[in-house]
């Protein structure tokens, strides 16, 4: 999994989503200020919780994309974004409805988040965060459950 943590390539020659938060307008990384990872193992399962904090250092609102690698046994179960004192809690919605709500929020100038499995790379979850205002600090809380492979005496 560590090799997939920074770059994943699929059969499409132009597609290589790297992990991190990207400014969609410039395709440059948004500065990462903090990362914290907690792992709790309980018998055959682990819970992984990740907190990443970014800041928009540009002079204008930006739309961003965040790529998050996962294994085929991982269940991505929580996404919370904090922008200033506002908390955005991810909810499961039908794909087209979620995309319409995202686009409507963007048109209304709201900071909004949309997460979905990447169609070109099934081991990647892509989150789009729209209208991140200049100077805004963004905290992204991700959580997933992963089956732990165990062997005895090996």
């Amino acid at each position: 999994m560590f090799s997939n943590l920074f770059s994943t390539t699929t059969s499409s020659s132009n597609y290589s989503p790297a992990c991190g938060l990207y400014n969609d307008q410039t395709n440059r990384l948004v500065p990462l200020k903090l990362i914290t990872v907690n792992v709790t193992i309980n018998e055959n399962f682990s819970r992984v919780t990740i907190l990443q904090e970014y800041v928009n250092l540009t002079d204008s609102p930006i739309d961003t994309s965040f790529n998050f690698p996962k294994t085929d046994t991982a269940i991505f179960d929580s996404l919370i974004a904090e922008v200033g004192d506002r908390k955005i809690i991810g909810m499961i919605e039908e794909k087209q409805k979620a995309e319409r709500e995202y686009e409507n929020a963007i048109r209304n100038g709201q900071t909004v988040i949309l997460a979905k499995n990447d169609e070109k790379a099934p081991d990647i979850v892509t989150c789009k965060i729209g209208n991140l205002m200049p100077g805004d600090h963004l905290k992204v809380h991700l959580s997933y459950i992963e089956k732990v492979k165990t062997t005895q005496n090996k």
Side-chain angles (χ1 to χ4, degrees):
M1 170 127 159
F2 286 111
S3 63
N4 288 340
L5 192 57
F6 298 104
S7 177
T8 299
T9 314
T10 65
S11 58
S12 173
S13 61
N14 294 343
Y15 191 75
S16 180
C19 293
L21 186 68
Y22 281 85
N23 179 329
D24 290 344
Q25 291 86 355
T26 65
N27 202 34
R28 297 182 80 113
L29 282 167
V30 176
L32 175 65
K33 296 301 208 179
L34 171 78
I35 184 167
T36 304
V37 179
N38 290 307
V39 179
T40 304
I41 298 174
N42 186 356
E43 295 187 23
N44 293 328
F45 293 91
S46 66
R47 167 162 300 282
V48 179
T49 305
I50 301 168
L51 165 63
Q52 294 180 330
E53 184 176 346
Y54 299 91
V55 62
N56 178 4
L57 296 177
T58 70
D59 294 333
S60 59
I62 59 174
D63 295 331
T64 63
S65 297
F66 176 83
N67 297 307
F68 178 75
K70 67 178 188 67
T71 66
D72 58 352
T73 60
I75 299 171
F76 181 70
D77 67 342
S78 177
L79 172 64
I80 300 171
E82 294 179 60
V83 181
D85 60 354
R86 184 169 176 231
K87 191 177 278 192
I88 304 167
I89 299 172
M91 297 175 51
I92 297 173
E93 295 277 359
E94 185 268 327
K95 183 178 176 181
Q96 284 78 20
K97 179 181 179 192
E99 289 172 346
R100 278 191 311 272
E101 290 176 359
Y102 177 86
E103 292 302 325
N104 287 337
I106 292 290
R107 278 192 294 280
N108 292 328
Q110 297 173 315
T111 300
V112 64
I113 190 165
L114 173 71
K116 60 184 176 179
N117 288 324
D118 192 304
E119 294 172 4
K120 295 178 184 175
D123 58 342
I124 298 287
V125 173
T126 298
C127 300
K128 295 187 66 60
I129 301 152
N131 283 333
L132 188 61
M133 297 297 158
D136 273 354
H137 286 256
L138 168 70
K139 292 181 182 178
V140 179
H141 303 261
L142 301 164
S143 179
Y144 65 92
I145 299 169
E146 175 86 37
K147 185 170 180 165
V148 176
K149 295 178 185 176
T150 58
T151 58
Q152 290 186 328
N153 300 325
K154 291 188 180 184

